[in-house]
Amino acid sequence: MKTKVMVIFGGVYSSLGKGIIASSIARILTEMGNKVSVMKFDPYLNVDPGTLSPLQHGEVFVTQDGGETDLDLGSYERFLGRKITKLSTITSGRIYKEVIGKERAGGYNGKTVQTIPHVTDQIKSKITDIIKVETPDFLIIEVGGTVGDIESIPFVEALGQFRGEYGRDDVLFILCSPLINVITSGELKTKPTQHAVKTIGNMGVIPAMLVLRSDVAIDKGTTEKIAMLCHISSENIFKSLNLPSVYYLPTELYKQGIQNAIYKYFGLTISPKQNINKWNRYVNKIKNIKSKIKIAIVGKYNDLHDSYCSLVESLKLAAWENNCNVNIHWVNSKELEEPNVSMKKIFRGCHGVLVPGGFGSRGIDGKLQAIKYTRENLIPYLGICYGMQIATIEFARNVMGLKNANTTEIDHNPPYKLFDYIDGRMRLGEQACEITDHNSLAYKLYKSNSINERHRHRWEFNNAFVPMFEKAGYKFSAFSADKEKTVEIAEIPSHPFYIGVQFHPEFNSWPGKPDPVFAGFIAAAIHHEKQ
């Protein structure tokens, strides 16, 4: 079957949940036995989000092949249940960089380089590349931003061209748009959606399907009004209401029959064997879970919770596998540096503490204090990337007596240089790690000598200190599989659950299959709650 392409645009304003809608459609089609690929077009001029502050754009999701990408790619992976690659992420910055690079190398034979056709051709080539490499049954493309934004115009133009060239019946345009709830009058306003349809239509793209976002129920009359005024069949208008969990959305859209509309548009027939029963069973399971635990996340990007999107989802997925729910207690590490702060009060009722990754020196002292409190009070602890490094520094200072031990990321010349910027590289993407101790917590969790996890860091542990740490009761249980043999996992065997990992296990957690580190952390937190 020729790959069928669906493109999802957003109208009126951003943050409508287009990524979750795209992911939900992908999950439905995957459950029905199709091979599905997903792409994200981001109109910003950054080549990738790797240098963006998490407070600007949320977390940087890392693909297996080392792509630094938008957080929506994390949603794609979790809903698809498989790993994706850098082919799935495109930014304006990357497109323009490639076009200018080609022009500087004489690739356009002296022609004037213009948005049309050179930029649009480059965008279209990315679509054909992923189709050739992955040969999916369906390709879903999410266009970031909002229709009408000046930055997204080349993408909209390119997609309009692509439909004409690829086959009008093989490309489906979907617009996600909000209905505005006017609380004072109790009305749902459809005018913004009408304007969004008109705006994208003026750009040569006519949506054949609408997904309406709303925080209140949408009645039939409102749907029919939109259908009439936007020239879209009411059978092709679907609703995405606020739900307790994003994982409920595939079930809700399936109930509304979105799969029938998609298959009908492409002239396909649904087999009686095609359903999403397996996904529905998973959703019903998590709906019926009643017990809860409380996990503290000690971070410095807490003002935007999307900064830790994959991490939060990994905690939820691991909790559900342990038949419980998780409440997140957000702790700003900077606030822990205030005078006379009470750690006991801050962490009261918490059954586990997690210190995530990050960069720079801000908030480090607060994280050190939180880790010390967790270690001394035998609270389950999980440190990720920087959280592992800071935990190692805390142990060196407060247990081993190595005063002012540090990483050169914070202090360029500390008396004990535990972590250093060794070879000027950033380790990115999935890499192999070897668990060297079968009596370790790491081996108990992973049940394997070799694991593959994703990395995003520059500073590495100084292996000259390994014997000194292990003599003091701090175990290094896994190392990189390359010739450098850098530390990957650290733990304290005398502690009920204390582990730090140099990698990012949150990028490897999917529904029904959380990363073993998260599953073990949640199980330890449940045990701690029962004591």
Side-chain angles (χ1 to χ4, degrees), residues 360-410:
S361 60
R362 183 172 61 86
I364 294 302
D365 288 342
K367 292 183 179 183
L368 284 165
Q369 293 181 53
I371 293 168
K372 181 175 185 290
Y373 180 83
T374 302
R375 176 179 56 78
E376 292 178 343
N377 289 276
L378 304 181
I379 301 170
Y381 174 75
L382 172 57
I384 294 177
C385 199
Y386 215 6
M388 179 275 258
Q389 296 186 8
I390 299 167
T392 304
I393 293 167
E394 188 279 324
F395 189 90
R397 291 181 181 180
N398 297 318
V399 177
M400 299 170 63
L402 302 181
K403 188 178 179 181
N404 295 322
N406 218 328
T407 167
T408 56
E409 184 171 358
I410 299 172

Side-chain angles (χ1 to χ4, degrees), residues 210-473:
L210 285 178
V211 179
L212 302 175
R213 289 284 289 117
S214 176
D215 55 3
V216 297
I218 304 170
D219 60 63
K220 184 178 179 181
T222 300
T223 302
E224 290 178 347
K225 177 182 177 182
I226 293 171
M228 178 181 65
L229 295 173
C230 295
H231 307 151
I232 296 174
S233 169
S234 60
E235 294 180 352
N236 284 351
I237 298 178
F238 301 94
K239 305 160 189 175
S240 175
L241 306 182
N242 294 347
L243 298 167
S245 168
V246 295
Y247 301 104
Y248 296 178
L249 188 57
T251 295
E252 294 302 315
L253 291 176
Y254 187 86
K255 285 178 182 177
Q256 295 175 42
I258 197 168
Q259 71 286 352
N260 297 324
I262 290 170
Y263 269 65
K264 182 179 179 180
Y265 180 89
F266 290 123
L268 303 174
T269 302
I270 296 178
S271 161
K273 295 181 179 179
Q274 290 179 292
N275 57 60
I276 64 166
N277 292 344
K278 183 180 177 182
W279 183 260
N280 288 340
R281 286 194 293 271
Y282 182 77
V283 169
N284 288 333
K285 171 191 172 181
I286 65 180
K287 281 183 177 180
N288 292 319
I289 293 173
K290 305 299 181 184
S291 61
K292 292 182 180 180
I293 57 168
K294 185 178 180 182
I295 300 294
I297 296 178
V298 184
K300 62 180 183 179
Y301 308 123
N302 295 5
D303 290 343
L304 181 64
H305 292 175
D306 272 353
S307 300
Y308 302 111
C309 180
S310 291
L311 190 146
V312 170
E313 294 306 312
S314 295
L315 289 172
K316 291 178 184 177
L317 297 171
W320 292 334
E321 287 304 298
N322 282 279
N323 293 306
C324 73
N325 289 303
V326 61
N327 283 345
I328 305 297
H329 176 49
W330 295 97
V331 179
N332 190 319
S333 60
K334 193 67 180 174
E335 293 177 0
L336 298 181
E337 299 171 1
E338 298 292 328
N340 303 318
V341 67
S342 170
M343 294 290 166
K344 184 176 181 180
K345 184 177 179 180
I346 291 289
F347 294 108
R348 181 175 294 141
C350 291
H351 309 119
V353 175
L354 190 156
V355 175
F359 294 93
S361 60
R362 183 172 61 86
I364 294 302
D365 288 342
K367 292 183 179 183
L368 284 165
Q369 293 181 53
I371 293 168
K372 181 175 185 290
Y373 180 83
T374 302
R375 176 179 56 78
E376 292 178 343
N377 289 276
L378 304 181
I379 301 170
Y381 174 75
L382 172 57
I384 294 177
C385 199
Y386 215 6
M388 179 275 258
Q389 296 186 8
I390 299 167
T392 304
I393 293 167
E394 188 279 324
F395 189 90
R397 291 181 181 180
N398 297 318
V399 177
M400 299 170 63
L402 302 181
K403 188 178 179 181
N404 295 322
N406 218 328
T407 167
T408 56
E409 184 171 358
I410 299 172
D411 182 346
H412 294 304
N413 191 31
Y416 302 98
K417 193 179 295 185
L418 301 185
F419 293 88
D420 199 6
Y421 191 21
I422 296 175
D423 59 6
R425 63 177 176 142
M426 175 179 274
R427 279 216 281 158
L428 272 173
E430 189 172 274
Q431 298 181 24
C433 315
E434 295 175 344
I435 297 176
T436 55
D437 188 341
H438 283 200
N439 295 316
S440 64
L441 175 59
Y443 189 81
K444 179 182 177 182
L445 294 175
Y446 282 99
K447 299 179 176 60
S448 176
N449 296 323
S450 180
I451 61 175
N452 293 289
E453 293 279 2
R454 299 184 213 186
H455 295 69
R456 185 177 182 247
H457 70 278
R458 289 188 176 91
W459 278 260
E460 305 280 6
F461 184 73
N462 183 349
N463 283 5
F465 286 96
V466 168
M468 187 185 303
F469 270 84
E470 297 203 326
K471 185 177 180 180

Side-chain angles (χ1 to χ4, degrees), residues 95-170:
I95 293 294
Y96 288 125
K97 182 180 180 182
E98 291 176 357
V99 169
I100 292 170
K102 185 176 179 180
E103 184 273 332
R104 291 289 85 189
Y108 294 108
N109 299 318
K111 293 179 182 177
T112 302
V113 179
Q114 298 176 291
T115 302
I116 302 172
H118 303 105
V119 171
T120 52
D121 282 353
Q122 193 71 11
I123 294 169
K124 288 182 290 182
S125 73
K126 302 302 180 184
I127 304 173
T128 55
D129 285 348
I130 196 169
I131 290 173
K132 288 177 183 177
V133 172
E134 299 188 2
T135 62
D137 300 315
F138 292 93
L139 171 63
I140 300 172
I141 301 172
E142 177 196 351
V143 180
T146 308
V147 293
D149 290 348
I150 192 169
E151 296 92 346
S152 64
I153 290 174
F155 287 104
V156 178
E157 173 64 29
L159 288 161
Q161 292 177 18
F162 177 79
R163 185 186 180 212
E165 296 164 6
Y166 187 74
R168 300 184 67 82
D169 295 334
D170 296 311

